[in-house]
Amino acid sequence: MKKKDKPLLSLEGVGKTFQTDKIQTNALSDINLSIYEGEFVAIAGPSGCGKSTLLSILGLLDTPTSGRYFINEQPMEKLDHAALARVRNAEIGFVFQDFNLIGDMTVFENVELPLTHRPAMSRAERKARVMECLAVVGMTDRAEHFPAQLSGGQQQRVAVARSVVGRPSVLLADEPTGNLDSANGDAVMKLLSELNTKQKVTICMVTHDSRYMGAASRAIRLFDGKIVADDVQVAAA
Ligand code: ADP
Ligand code: MG
């Protein structure tokens, strides 16, 4: 993988401490990590090692307690709530383990949601973008269905469409196959791989399943809140 000089995302000495009642948890300590355009990064590690915390910080869903986070070389700590929401909407797509679709909205409306924050985009353009993304994930014929009418695998494909409809700089996925059986998990992984290779989407994925590490171009291992391995893999599956 040809690395550009400028990272898309960059964490410098990032730590995260949770304080609850009398217990203090050091979820992350001294994380130094840069992610470059076009990469498919997989993050693995045992339960509780800080994977979701790391992804939440990368996705601007949480803030570090120490260190700095840069997106496109812009420091995030200076931004207020509204500015962070704008950056999140423009730069980040997020896929969760439990899909997180909105139950009383159709598939079309769920996928359209990130675009409704873009006043400059016409309705016709929004519709074209939504249908294009539904086609990519093979869900065109389900546009008017509700999430409850879909299988888990189909719901996750809709969630993937929603995550990329705004053409974010990076797609972050936290155990996207964790709630799926192996056939549906394989289908979602194939979709992510194709998004990376064909549509050039930069991906950072947390996975508990070592079978899926091979799909990535780079494998990071976390242990006790620290990066213990960071390997560029020569042959992506
Ligand atoms: P993983 O995703 O690798 O299983 P997490 O990032 O969810 O791990 O959690 C890392 C550690 O931080 C765990 O010890 C967890 O209990 C703790 N933790 C995560 N979120 C919170 C929170 N909101 N409040 C308190 N502790 C938390
Ligand atoms: Mg987790």
Side-chain angles (χ1 to χ4, degrees):
M1 167 117 3
K2 182 173 143 266
K3 286 201 173 174
K4 302 211 171 120
D5 299 334
K6 295 178 180 173
L8 203 59
L9 311 179
S10 189
L11 298 171
E12 287 183 4
V14 160
K16 178 72 182 180
T17 304
F18 292 106
Q19 185 75 52
T20 45
D21 295 334
K22 295 189 181 71
I23 304 169
Q24 180 172 310
T25 308
N26 294 317
L28 295 173
S29 31
D30 196 29
I31 299 287
N32 294 290
L33 172 64
S34 290
I35 294 176
Y36 297 84
E37 206 179 302
E39 283 193 303
F40 187 159
V41 179
I43 300 175
S47 181
C49 73
K51 304 181 297 296
S52 292
T53 304
L54 177 58
L55 219 62
S56 296
I57 289 172
L58 289 173
L60 300 172
L61 301 173
D62 205 348
T63 49
T65 38
S66 57
R68 305 188 74 194
Y69 180 27
F70 302 83
I71 297 181
N72 292 320
E73 302 193 298
Q74 299 299 313
M76 291 296 112
E77 72 268 10
K78 290 195 178 71
L79 303 184
D80 63 17
H81 204 70
L84 280 175
R86 271 197 300 278
V87 174
R88 195 186 307 124
N89 181 253
E91 308 289 351
I92 312 281
F94 216 106
V95 173
F96 301 89
Q97 179 172 345
D98 51 4
F99 326 133
N100 280 14
L101 297 177
I102 296 175
D104 59 2
M105 291 173 95
T106 64
V107 162
F108 183 95
E109 290 165 342
N110 267 281
V111 175
E112 189 185 28
L113 209 51
L115 302 182
T116 59
H117 300 287
R118 306 210 179 164
M121 193 178 285
S122 73
R123 218 176 139 185
E125 194 182 343
R126 279 212 308 264
K127 180 168 186 199
R129 280 258 209 123
V130 171
M131 294 315 291
E132 182 190 316
C133 285
L134 286 177
V136 168
V137 303
M139 293 295 292
T140 306
D141 55 347
R142 303 294 177 136
E144 297 310 316
H145 283 63
F146 287 91
Q149 298 172 301
L150 306 176
S151 72
Q154 290 171 327
Q155 288 188 54
Q156 194 61 305
R157 276 150 58 195
V158 173
V160 170
R162 179 181 59 182
S163 76
V164 294
V165 75
R167 298 191 186 145
S169 297
V170 64
L171 167 51
L172 304 174
D174 193 354
E175 307 208 24
T177 63
N179 279 2
L180 301 177
D181 60 41
S182 65
N184 278 304
D186 289 354
V188 165
M189 275 310 304
K190 185 162 173 278
L191 174 59
L192 294 180
S193 286
E194 285 174 1
L195 282 172
N196 177 249
T197 54
K198 293 186 186 157
Q199 322 261 344
K200 308 294 173 207
V201 178
T202 306
I203 299 179
C204 180
M205 170 188 77
V206 165
T207 182
H208 63 292
D209 192 332
S210 55
R211 290 183 309 137
Y212 295 141
M213 294 297 280
S217 56
R218 181 174 167 198
I220 290 174
R221 283 181 198 281
L222 270 189
F223 190 77
D224 276 355
K226 295 189 181 71
I227 292 177
V228 292
D230 184 350
D231 304 311
V232 173
Q233 310 193 123
V234 181

